[in-house]
Amino acid sequence: MSDLNNTKESVANHILPTSANLLGICFLIFSMAHFMDKTEATILDECTAVTIVIFLISSVCSYASLRSGKYRALEKIADLAFMAGLLILAGVAVFIAIKVVV
């Protein structure tokens, strides 16, 4: 039973650095979007801005979960926000790939 608890507690250890790295990548995409055509850049800006906020929520909740050690709800929020951010970021990546190819 204690091994299961240690596995559950280690999820926040992985979410925090990964979401922080993806947050930096989102800022890079956000600044890169200003060099594209204005029509596509506004859609890309909005999606990337939402992703930045989601990864920020994930990072903060993961950090708070690690610091407190008790709050499973914060770890769950960090996990769900991280997955939502990954999905939106994947959509942004597909959008950029289509823009580059076409």
Side-chain angles (χ1 to χ4, degrees):
M1 183 88 138
S2 64
D3 289 337
L4 181 64
N5 288 337
N6 288 337
T7 304
K8 289 285 187 181
E9 289 174 0
S10 67
V11 172
N13 288 330
H14 298 287
I15 292 174
L16 181 60
T18 308
S19 64
N21 285 333
L22 290 173
L23 184 62
I25 290 171
C26 288
F27 275 114
L28 180 67
I29 293 170
F30 191 74
S31 62
M32 184 189 76
H34 291 285
F35 295 111
M36 296 173 68
D37 293 336
K38 289 296 182 190
T39 306
E40 289 85 9
T42 57
I43 297 167
L44 191 61
D45 283 347
E46 291 170 3
C47 289
T48 307
V50 169
T51 309
I52 287 171
V53 171
I54 289 173
F55 280 130
L56 184 62
I57 290 169
S58 177
S59 296
V60 169
C61 289
S62 178
Y63 179 76
S65 174
L66 287 172
R67 292 296 292 170
S68 68
K70 297 179 185 177
Y71 297 124
R72 291 274 188 221
L74 287 173
E75 189 174 18
K76 186 72 169 175
I77 292 169
D79 194 26
L80 292 173
F82 182 75
M83 288 306 297
L86 278 179
L87 289 173
I88 296 171
L89 189 58
V92 168
V94 168
F95 181 78
I96 291 172
I98 290 171
K99 178 69 176 158
V100 168
V101 171
V102 174

